């Protein structure tokens, strides 16, 4: 057991699963990097964020497969390979590139099993980078988890820390359904104790990160840390917030959220996507349809605005939900 | 209480290095009773309530709400009302001035666990303390060397101690291939003693570890200097099958919490970090299979296998039992002449070494002394 | 590669089965027995059969919305297909796929695909599996001229060349993408040349001639199996019917509609094998009769089979959830 970064935890999960199962292959742009370059080196990148660094040296270019910039072919190839016996981990470098491969995910990967009457399975993972905070502007900063979550047939995973990242990725690779694994780019340096051994964290089990009886705060991915900062802030006034990280949006652990709301009667949801048809809206709907009588105050949704992600640092800071906004929301629900 | 008593940020488990103050439950200048909630502390994964270790006036709250402090930092001071403010201030300044040095020396003695390769089985163990004699600590089913976190430091003040992770547990290999019985496990621990250069040892075992200790004494009695067994399996009572099943099947936090609560006389002792650690252990590759294998072995173990194993053992044997133990209930069968003492602790259930660590440590020390 | 008499019978049997199946589907559809819509493969039989004669169950194919022919050529169960198209229990996909999503992975049939250009990325995935696991299998992507204009096709062709995948792209140029002609929609009017530009062998072949298709496909499949990478075949094979059944085909002249049937792959085959005395008419007629009876049974069974049960609605979205 050692302290590892989110990046190292993901790399370790990939390495251990590739060592364990020869059917696991990595497919993507510059997952090794350097093919065809004048330097003649492999592993020039190891992924644009270095997440797959070193793997090509261990498993070779036949299992760490550098591809042209062809997202439809990358994702579709992973789907077809999964249908025929491999367990591919395809990398969609930035989730924003979904636009150029969505058909292969939502019409193909997600529907194969149902369309074919349960006679096929698609054990693939699509890893992708999400989130604002690095001034990457409108086409490299979205979260987009609501879009995936909307599609029956896909599972959607959003680890908020290094420990969860490793366990959820191993679960994703061993899972027999297509799994969208969303890594927040602001979390790659996040450090936690991560066991050296492989382990699995089941999907659909929320993590109660902080116990509290006064207000329920649900947050995902990087927003978990925003929620925790807000919880610490209101703790100074003696307010005990329960912070829940659903970890997966599909399946969603409704029970844990509803049990918490039954206890606190107050719900704040923090979501880094725009509000319409977001996870925040989804969880708010869950609370009002299934726990309306438990609610003592209107549900608060702290989300990004209904805009693209801006470039200027000053605007991007405004775009991303912050701890102050969450703190104020917690105070508002407590006053009702 | 006449002295000044420091309250430091506790270290809950091996991995904890710092904590954040969430809320104080007592006001400065107020009297607080031993055991009352004092302060809520959050680690990156857990929040726990620290209770007052003894009664007194909370003279000073040093740590601020929202602040993050390293384990061992002075966060508050308890003292009698009679102690002057000046004395308190002097105490705090002195303590804070030496904090860096003290912490560093504590770090040095707080050694990391080591591993031992027995050809096919890698075992993790933690050595603490020095001395000619060695006490070997064997945890029970589903436990790990951390179960001795309160007992081991106390013993280590006088002797060398080694807490071992049994195969399938903690940081040891989860693969139980080649292990078809608890006797095989006893053989493996004896081989581990070889690997650690231990000609002999005082062996302390809890529950399943207690039975393994007894089986070790049966196989190589000359190497076992004494046996102190805490709620051992195989001493007249079967291990609760409902507990074994619940523990093996528990997947969710709530299920693990329910199973763990059965172990203690005071269920509030089941802290978030304990459940977190159990959950994390159970998620490791191979852990579920290992637990399931061991649970079957325990279910099929003759109820008096341990008693039979030590029938001819000539060195001191002490049994320690929590009166409220419902996992391996206290049995009237322990009347063998080799059993020197049976200690029943009212304030404990199955985990006496966690619930009544002082009493268990004292019992071990008495038993060791009687052996020499 | 020479075709034995048994091979020839098998080739004819598969083509005849496709023809009979499609004609029966047409009758059933027009009498209201089949929900949704269907796209018939009539006129293109030699394409699917000429290619699939080189394939075993271990090889994979990806198909299109006009997929019945590919399914039959690849060995899918006829009764199961008919049940599926009727939307009934016991269909190859339990009645949840229908005409445009028939699949049978055990037969290497990765599915008809209702997205034009949907299958090439999937098929190169099957080829990647074959290459990675060194199974010696090949994967074939059946496409239309319409899909030749899709980016997914270009991406998959380039990827297949880059990764040297054992794949054959079979582009069935039937002259129309829905109601728009190739002469309008395909720039330069030359699909094979596009494929060749990616760096792979690409040939134009008469898709109504079973023998020509069989020979060209043999070379392409062999190259793939031997690790020499992908190839493309552009097969010219006009469809007899419209884009979908019921399509009034206002975009086709009366003259074209008449001449198209002069290139009937089954008639051409019959003439060739009987003139060369490889098979005689009686043998072929016997096969016709046998197949007619089989299709009768399949259609009757499909018409009387129960629809899926309500509980099937939420089944098989996931392996586990």
């Amino acid at each position: 057991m050692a302290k590892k970064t989110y990046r190292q935890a993901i790399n370790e999960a990939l390495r251990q699963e590739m060592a364990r199962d020869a059917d696991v292959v990595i497919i993507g742009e510059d997952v090794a990097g350097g093919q065809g370059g004048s330097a003649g080196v492999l592993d020039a990148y190891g992924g644009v964020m270095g997440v797959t660094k070193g793997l090509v040296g261990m498993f070779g270019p036949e299992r760490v497969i550098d591809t042209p910039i062809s997202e439809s072919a990358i994702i579709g190839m992973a789907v077809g390979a999964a249908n025929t016996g491999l367990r591919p981990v395809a990398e969609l470098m930035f989730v924003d590139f979904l636009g150029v491969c969505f058909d292969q995910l939502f019409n193909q990967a997600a529907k194969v099993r149902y369309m074919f009457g349960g006679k096929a399975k698609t054990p693939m993972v699509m890893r992708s980078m999400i989130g604002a905070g690095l001034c990457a502007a409108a086409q490299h900063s979205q979260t987009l988890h609501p879009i995936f979550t909307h599609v029956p047939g896909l599972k959607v995973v959003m680890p908020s820390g290094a420990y969860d990242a490793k366990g959820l990725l191993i679960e994703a690779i061993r899972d027999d359904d297509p799994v969208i694994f969303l890594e927040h780019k602001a979390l790659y340096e996040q450090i936690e104790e991560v066991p050296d051994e492989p382990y699995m964290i089941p999907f659909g089990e929320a993590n109660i990160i902080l116990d509290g009886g006064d207000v329920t705060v649900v947050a995902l991915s990087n927003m978990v840390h925003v929620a925790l900062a807000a919880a610490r802030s209101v703790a100074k006034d003696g307010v005990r917030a329960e912070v829940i990280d659903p970890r997966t949006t599909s399946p969603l652990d409704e029970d844990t959220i509803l049990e918490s709301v039954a206890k606190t009667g107050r719900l704040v949801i923090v979501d880094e996507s725009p509000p319409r048809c977001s996870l925040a809206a989804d969880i708010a709907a869950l609370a009002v349809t299934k726990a309306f009588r438990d609610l003592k105050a209107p549900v608060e949704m702290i989300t990004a605005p209904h805009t693209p992600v801006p470039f200027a640092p000053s605007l991007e800071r405004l775009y991303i939900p912050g701890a102050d906004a969450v703190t104020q929301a917690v105070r508002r629900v407590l006053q009702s | 209480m006449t002295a000044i008593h420091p309250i430091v940020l506790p270290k809950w488990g091996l991995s904890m290095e710092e904590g954040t103050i969430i809320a104080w439950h007592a006001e400065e200048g107020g009297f607080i009773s031993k055991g009352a909630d004092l302060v809520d502390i959050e680690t990156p994964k857990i929040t726990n309530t620290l209770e007052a270790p003894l009664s007194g006036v909370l003279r000073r709250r040093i740590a601020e709400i929202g602040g993050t402090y390293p384990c061992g930092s002075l966060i508050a001071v308890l003292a009698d009302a009679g102690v002057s403010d000046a004395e308190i201030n002097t105490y705090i300044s002195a303590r804070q001035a030496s904090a860096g040095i003290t912490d560093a020396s504590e770090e040095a003695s707080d050694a990391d666990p080591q591993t031992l390769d027995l050809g096919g089985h890698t075992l993790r163990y933690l050595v603490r303390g020095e001395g000619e004699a060695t006490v070997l600590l064997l945890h029970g089913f589903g436990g790990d060397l951390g179960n001795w976190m309160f007992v081991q430091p106390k013993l280590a003040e006088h002797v060398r101690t080694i807490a071992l992770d049994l195969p399938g547990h903690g940081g040891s290999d989860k693969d139980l291939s080649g292990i078809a019985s608890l006797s095989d496990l006893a053989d493996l621990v004896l081989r581990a003693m070889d690997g650690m250069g231990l000609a002999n040892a005082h062996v302390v075992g809890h529950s399943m570890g207690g039975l393994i200790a007894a089986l070790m004494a049966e196989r190589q009695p000359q190497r076992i200097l004494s046996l102190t067994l805490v709620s051992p399996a195989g001493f007249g009572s079967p291990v609760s099958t409902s507990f074994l099943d619940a523990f093996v099947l528990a997947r969710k936090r709530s299920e693990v919490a329910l199973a763990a609560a059965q172990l203690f006389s005071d269920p509030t002792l089941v802290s978030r970090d304990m459940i977190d650690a159990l959950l994390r252990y159970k998620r490791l590759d191979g852990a579920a299979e290992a637990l399931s294998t061991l649970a079957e072995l325990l279910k099929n173990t003759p109820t008096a296998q341990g008693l039979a194993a030590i029938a001819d053992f000539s060195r001191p044997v002490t049994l320690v039992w929590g009166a409220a133990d419902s996992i391996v209930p206290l049995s009237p069968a322990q009347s063998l002449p080799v059993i020197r003492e049976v200690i029943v602790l009212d304030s404990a259930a199955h985990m006496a070494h966690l619930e009544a660590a002082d009493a268990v440590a004292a019992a071990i020390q008495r038993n060791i002394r009687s052996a020499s | 590669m020479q075709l034995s008499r048994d091979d020839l019978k098998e080739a004819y049997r598969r083509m005849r089965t496709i023809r009979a199946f499609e004609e029966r589907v047409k009758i059933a559809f027009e009498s209201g027995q089949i929900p949704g819509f269907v796209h018939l493969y009539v006129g293109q039989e030699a394409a699917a059969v000429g290619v699939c004669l080189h394939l075993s169950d271990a090889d994979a194919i990806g198909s299109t919305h006009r997929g019945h022919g590919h399914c039959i050529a690849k060995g899918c169960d006829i009764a199961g297909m008919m049940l599926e198209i009727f939307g009934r229990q016991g269909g190859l996909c339990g009645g949840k796929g229908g005409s445009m999503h028939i699949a049978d992975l055990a037969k290497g049939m990765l599915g008809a695909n209702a997205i034009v250009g949907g299958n090439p990325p999937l098929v190169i995935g099957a080829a990647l599996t074959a290459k990675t696991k060194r199974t010696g299998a090949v994967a074939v992507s059946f496409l239309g001229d319409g899909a030749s204009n899709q980016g997914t096709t270009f991406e998959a062709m380039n990827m297949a060349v880059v990764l040297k995948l054992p794949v054959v792209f079979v582009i069935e140029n039937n002259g129309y993408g829905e109601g728009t002609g190739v002469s309008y929609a395909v720039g330069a009017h030359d699909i094979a040349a596009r494929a060749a530009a990616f760096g792979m062998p690409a040939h134009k072949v008469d898709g109504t001639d079973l023998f020509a298709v069989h020979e060209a496909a043999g070379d392409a499949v062999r190259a793939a199996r031997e690790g020499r990478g992908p190839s493309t075949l552009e097969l010219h094979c006009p469809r007899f019917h419209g884009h979908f059944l019921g399509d009034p085909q206002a975009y086709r002249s009366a003259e074209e509609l008449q001449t198209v049937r002069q290139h009937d792959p089954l008639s051409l085959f019959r003439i060739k094998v009987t003139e060369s005395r490889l098979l005689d008419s009686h043998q072929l007629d016997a096969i016709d009769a046998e197949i007619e009876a089989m299709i009768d049974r399949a259609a009757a069974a499909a018409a009387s089979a129960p629809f899926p049960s309500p509980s099937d609605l939420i089944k098989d979205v996931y392996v586990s959830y």
Side-chain angles (χ1 to χ4, degrees), chain A residues 297-316:
Chain A
V299 175
E300 284 275 353
M301 302 191 339
I302 302 301
T303 69
H306 190 69
T307 70
V309 184
F311 167 65
S314 57
L315 293 178
E316 193 187 38

Side-chain angles (χ1 to χ4, degrees), chain A residues 174 197-198 208 210-211 240, chain B residues 40 47 174 272 280 285:
Chain A
R174 296 183 193 173
E197 295 162 275
I208 302 173
L210 206 58
D211 289 311
R240 305 296 303 267
Chain B
D40 288 345
T47 298
K174 305 302 175 292
R272 268 193 71 90
R280 284 173 176 234
D285 267 13

Side-chain angles (χ1 to χ4, degrees), chain B residues 37-266:
Chain B
D37 287 356
L38 179 59
V39 57
D40 288 345
I41 299 166
E42 181 202 318
T43 76
K45 278 287 176 191
I46 57 151
T47 298
N48 256 345
T49 303
L50 180 69
E51 297 169 354
L54 66 178
S55 303
V57 176
L58 180 61
R59 294 295 298 272
R60 206 62 58 83
R61 295 196 321 206
I62 296 160
E64 288 173 18
I65 288 173
T68 299
Y69 303 88
C71 295
S73 310
L74 186 67
I75 57 172
V77 173
L78 284 185
D80 271 352
V83 180
S84 73
D85 276 350
E87 285 174 83
I88 301 272
N89 289 340
T90 309
Y91 177 84
I92 292 171
S93 314
R95 177 99 191 179
Q96 285 173 338
S98 65
I101 308 160
T102 321
D103 284 351
S105 64
E106 275 170 7
E107 279 300 312
S109 68
D110 189 7
D112 288 332
Q114 305 169 53
T115 55
L116 173 71
D117 189 354
L118 289 183
H121 292 283
T122 302
L123 299 183
R124 185 180 72 154
Y125 62 99
L126 178 65
V127 183
R128 281 196 168 190
E130 290 172 3
E132 278 178 34
T134 298
V135 178
L136 181 62
L137 301 161
L138 304 178
H139 62 79
F141 172 80
D144 64 21
L145 58 81
N147 293 161
W148 304 104
M149 61 197 270
F150 300 137
V151 168
Q152 193 179 9
K154 288 187 205 297
L155 297 176
E157 291 169 13
H158 311 288
V159 289
R160 182 161 178 255
T161 64
I162 299 179
L164 185 72
D165 278 339
L166 290 168
H169 294 83
S172 293
D173 268 352
K174 305 302 175 292
D175 181 7
L176 293 186
S177 55
I179 289 168
S181 68
L182 295 174
S183 301
D184 288 345
L185 275 179
D187 286 335
L188 196 77
V189 177
L190 287 164
R191 277 173 54 209
M193 284 176 63
D194 297 339
M196 294 184 290
L198 285 182
N200 52 44
H202 298 277
V203 181
V204 178
H206 169 243
S207 195
M208 177 183 79
L211 176 53
I212 291 168
L215 293 168
M216 288 165 68
E218 182 185 36
R219 303 170 111 66
Q220 297 187 8
Q222 73 286 357
R223 299 181 70 183
I224 311 302
L225 301 175
S226 74
L227 285 174
T228 311
L229 309 178
V230 184
S231 291
F235 277 71
S237 294
V239 181
S240 159
T241 51
S242 69
F243 168 76
L244 290 172
D245 290 341
F247 191 83
V248 168
L249 295 175
R251 238 171 67 100
K252 296 190 165 201
R253 179 181 299 279
S254 54
E255 294 163 348
V256 172
L258 222 57
Q262 295 184 43
L263 296 166
F264 295 88
S265 69
D266 175 6

Side-chain angles (χ1 to χ4, degrees), chain C residues 26-293:
Chain C
K26 184 170 185 291
I27 293 166
F29 182 83
E30 285 167 350
S31 65
Q33 288 179 290
I34 295 176
F37 38 92
V38 291
H39 309 80
L40 299 185
Y41 196 68
V42 178
Q44 305 182 214
E45 292 89 344
V49 174
V51 172
C52 289
L53 282 173
H54 295 286
L55 307 179
S56 75
D57 289 353
D59 300 310
I61 67 165
S63 172
T64 70
H65 56 285
R66 197 177 307 287
H68 304 167
H70 306 131
C71 292
I72 293 169
K74 195 66 173 55
C76 289
D77 179 63
I78 300 300
M81 283 180 65
M82 197 67 89
L83 284 161
E84 187 60 35
I85 292 167
F86 276 66
R88 308 294 173 121
Q89 269 184 35
L92 273 184
C93 303
K96 287 160 81 168
S99 166
M100 288 194 288
H101 303 298
I102 300 180
D104 189 348
L105 272 75
K107 293 280 179 193
M109 167 58 193
L110 300 188
N113 202 310
I115 304 296
V116 171
N119 89 48
L122 305 173
V123 170
I124 62 167
L128 180 71
T129 299
K131 184 189 169 202
T132 305
K133 295 169 95 88
R134 297 185 165 80
T135 62
V138 301
V140 176
S141 170
F142 284 101
L143 302 164
D145 47 271
S148 83
N149 295 328
Q150 286 279 36
T152 46
T153 303
F154 303 148
E155 288 191 21
M157 283 183 166
N158 185 56
M159 185 80 82
V161 170
V162 169
L163 300 180
K164 224 175 176 187
L165 297 175
V167 59
V168 181
F169 298 95
V170 177
I171 295 171
E172 298 171 339
N173 182 347
N174 65 14
Y176 293 92
E178 284 203 27
T180 301
V182 164
S183 62
Y184 173 85
V186 176
H189 318 313
D190 191 339
I191 299 168
R194 290 178 171 179
F198 286 107
M200 71 178 106
H203 302 287
K204 291 186 201 213
V205 179
D206 178 356
T208 63
D209 180 350
L210 184 276
F211 296 93
V213 174
H214 183 261
E215 188 179 346
D219 292 342
V221 168
R222 200 174 314 114
R225 269 201 222 292
E226 291 173 359
R228 285 182 276 136
S231 316
T232 292
L233 302 177
E234 180 185 347
L235 308 180
H236 287 262
C237 43
R239 51 169 148 90
F240 285 13
H241 298 286
H243 167 56
F244 53 90
L245 200 43
D247 176 4
Q249 300 197 75
Y251 50 89
R252 287 175 111 176
S253 67
E255 188 192 359
E256 185 197 338
L257 286 171
Q258 264 192 337
T259 55
V260 81
R261 292 183 190 246
Q262 289 164 10
H263 299 279
D264 181 342
L266 277 86
S267 309
L268 293 171
F269 180 90
R270 182 180 274 260
I271 291 164
K272 268 197 184 166
V273 295
T274 50
E275 282 182 352
S276 58
R277 298 180 186 282
L278 288 164
L279 299 174
D280 64 41
S281 291
H282 298 299
Q283 288 172 304
L284 297 174
D285 292 345
I287 291 173
D288 290 355
E290 188 191 313
I291 287 168
E292 206 57 33

Side-chain angles (χ1 to χ4, degrees), chain B residues 210-211 213-218 227 229 235 304-315 317-319 336-339:
Chain B
L211 176 53
L215 293 168
M216 288 165 68
E218 182 185 36
L227 285 174
L229 309 178
F235 277 71
Q305 188 182 16
L307 279 169
I310 61 159
D312 299 325
F313 188 61
S314 59
R315 294 201 173 109
V317 178
T318 291
L319 304 186
L336 282 180
V338 300
I339 296 174

